[in-house]
Amino acid sequence: MRDLIEKLTPRYTLGNATYQRADLTFVDVTRDELRALLLELRDKEGFTHLVLLTAVDWIEEGKFQLTYMINNREADQTLGLRLYIDRNDAEGDTIHDIWPTAATYQRELREMFGIAFPGSPRVDEEFILEGWTDMPPYRRDFDTLAYSQQTYVEREGRETHDPRATMKHKMYPEG
Amino acid sequence: MFSFQPDRSQYPDVGPDGKFEIDLETGKFLKLWHGPNHPGITGNMSVELTVNGDEVVEGYTHVGYLHRGFEKLMERRTFIQVFPIVCRVCVPEPDFNEYCYAAAVEELAGIEVPEEANWIRTLILEMGRFNSYMMAMGGIAGALGNGVIGQWMTYVRDLMLDRFEELTGARIYHMFILPGGVRAGLPEGFEARMEEVLQTAERYLDDVEKVLFTNAVFKKRTKGVGYIDPKLFESYGVTGPNARAGGVAKDVRKDSPYLVYDQLSFEVPVEQDSDIWARSIVRYRDLRLTIDLIRQILAKMPKGGEVMTSLPNVLHWKIPRGETYIKGESSRGEYGYYLVTDGSGYPRRVNVRGPSYTHAMALLEHLIPGTNIADVAALMVSLHTYPPEIER
């Protein structure tokens, strides 16, 4: 995989590369070059399989990391392209014309993270959440505990425990 | 043979966006909801069909009936607290979640797993595949009106659930594979009781072969129906038996061996026709292979050694910043976990890559137009999709 990264480096602005395993590499890419890079990897380097497309919320840094994971089945190599986008104005470029399945991933990212993908088919239609009006729930600042406390009523007579404290007590009863 | 050519003049016009302009007021078209409660549906999902006569003009998959927000919930739990909930992501074959999550944590935390634990993990995964294929065989037969096979398969699956209960203490969600190894070794006399189950399964599968694969109705309704062009496999992310039914001999167990698959000898079953028949027969042959693999594992595995490594204090377990992707070959195709850690005691992000995500959404929507209402159930079941892994 090092050879491939070295081969691409003169023509693309590739950032930090992580060689996680012999068959798994991650590399930072820029938004301008993403499309050209994906097309070259698919058509010339054999990375024909889109494994997944997802986002990671780095709220402290004000960024979303979009991970485009692609796979070369013949060479048994997986490459994760990391693209960092601004968290406040979250927008990505659609790749549904390269892999039709990407439309589903983009629809989910739109709903769960609030990342816009203009031009992606049915991207604004509800995917999993019906009638959701709160902030996109997979963002780190969406508090699931506060949401459930506001939305649902505690059933009377039901005892709840703090999971961390209970586990500590069970494992180390002596303290 | 009687052949019916649909009258395309009855079809709606195509609008500027490339989609049909369907006016329900004309009375030519009807909206039909196939699911979420329907015998031909593989779980909590539905397909919104637009039909013209009994021919389907377009179909859209709707999910969301089973969303539990697991990926978000995992971010609030410590690494060890996540392990009892990962198995619940996929109901009929939960063990892949346990393995992929455990292997991802082990890789990022630098934990070595004892050799015997790897063998037991492989055994568990194959037992899970056995159960999943039993449901698939019953499902495809049931969708085409042969309900008795569903009952036989459920019985045989129940026998395997007994072995699961004996080995792990639970029938459906085992919570047996955890970071560092597995919870216990094999019980005394387990191999003999497993052999009994496998022999019973083989007897029933012989009957299935006679009843299903020589059945004229089954042949007529599956051969040439639900064809997936192998050229579409890469663009639609088709993996597993669905791709192997179209001549693509790809299997993660063979191409990128994990656990102890490199020490087992097997050939991946492949068919060429890429229709419902081919997908059914590939699953049937893969089920036979699974029985063989379980026997091989029990014969070759070391016994009586360590099955769990010593872990750091799990209450204060922090994993350095990093990310990884672990994949395996489930009964539906490539199953994977993408785990991102940030140096804290909690995962930053867990993303589950289930094969049904691509098969039941983009692929199914692409295949549905032009089929008959009666074939939609068979088409869906032949793709072997599990909705829980779509919405997690």
Side-chain angles (χ1 to χ4, degrees), chain A:
Chain A
M1 192 59 97
R2 282 176 197 274
D3 300 347
L4 177 67
I5 301 289
E6 279 168 22
K7 187 176 154 192
L8 295 170
T9 303
R11 283 176 294 123
Y12 294 99
T13 324
L14 298 182
N16 183 24
T18 315
Y19 299 96
Q20 181 66 26
R21 286 196 308 263
D23 62 346
L24 177 65
T25 305
F26 292 94
V27 65
D28 296 353
V29 298
T30 59
R31 187 173 168 187
D32 304 342
E33 294 173 355
L34 174 76
R35 192 178 177 78
L37 186 58
L38 283 173
L39 282 170
E40 178 167 342
L41 286 168
R42 184 191 72 167
D43 297 336
K44 293 192 177 157
E45 304 295 341
F47 286 85
T48 49
H49 174 45
L50 176 69
V51 178
L52 59 87
L53 161 57
T54 192
V56 185
D57 188 356
W58 297 104
I59 187 170
E60 307 86 347
E61 298 160 21
K63 284 176 186 165
F64 280 128
Q65 171 193 333
L66 289 178
T67 305
Y68 295 79
M69 200 166 291
I70 51 177
N71 177 254
N72 180 337
R73 299 203 211 201
E74 294 305 322
D76 184 26
Q77 288 291 330
T78 305
L79 179 60
L81 303 178
R82 294 183 291 222
L83 170 65
Y84 293 96
I85 56 172
D86 185 15
R87 200 172 175 280
N88 296 318
D89 181 26
E91 189 183 285
D93 299 313
T94 178
I95 57 159
H96 74 274
D97 51 331
I98 308 179
W99 283 285
T101 51
T104 318
Y105 289 104
Q106 289 167 176
R107 207 169 139 203
E108 186 181 356
L109 289 175
R110 172 87 182 90
E111 186 173 79
M112 292 300 187
F113 286 92
I115 302 172
F117 287 94
S120 182
R122 300 167 65 205
V123 71
D124 292 321
E125 284 179 31
E126 286 166 340
F127 179 51
I128 289 168
L129 307 173
E130 202 173 75
W132 184 261
T133 51
D134 215 317
M135 82 159 77
Y138 276 22
R139 289 188 172 215
R140 293 286 287 189
D141 42 356
F142 177 77
D143 188 342
T144 46
L145 182 63
Y147 175 79
S148 62
Q149 283 169 344
Q150 285 161 15
T151 314
Y152 305 108
V153 186
E154 282 283 329
R155 212 186 304 158
E156 259 185 67
R158 195 174 165 202
E159 208 179 338
T160 55
H161 303 279
D162 174 47
R164 205 177 170 89
T166 308
M167 196 167 166
K168 191 173 176 182
H169 178 68
K170 282 199 171 169
M171 290 180 73
Y172 309 103
E174 306 299 320

Side-chain angles (χ1 to χ4, degrees), chain A residues 20-21 49 51 54-55 57 60 65 67 74 82 100-101 108 122 127 137 139-140 142 144 164, chain B residues 60 63 72 75-76 78 107 235-236 250 315 321 323 325 334 338 348-349 353 357 361 392:
Chain A
Q20 181 66 26
R21 286 196 308 263
H49 174 45
V51 178
T54 192
D57 188 356
E60 307 86 347
Q65 171 193 333
T67 305
E74 294 305 322
R82 294 183 291 222
T101 51
E108 186 181 356
R122 300 167 65 205
F127 179 51
R139 289 188 172 215
R140 293 286 287 189
F142 177 77
T144 46
R164 205 177 170 89
Chain B
Y60 290 112
V63 292
K72 180 77 179 178
E75 294 173 14
R76 289 184 65 94
T78 60
E107 184 181 311
S235 55
Y236 280 88
K250 292 285 175 202
L315 295 177
R321 182 165 175 165
E323 58 191 316
Y325 175 71
E334 179 182 336
Y338 173 54
R348 168 63 62 148
R349 175 98 173 100
R353 193 265 181 219
Y357 195 88
M361 300 293 300
R392 281 99 63 198

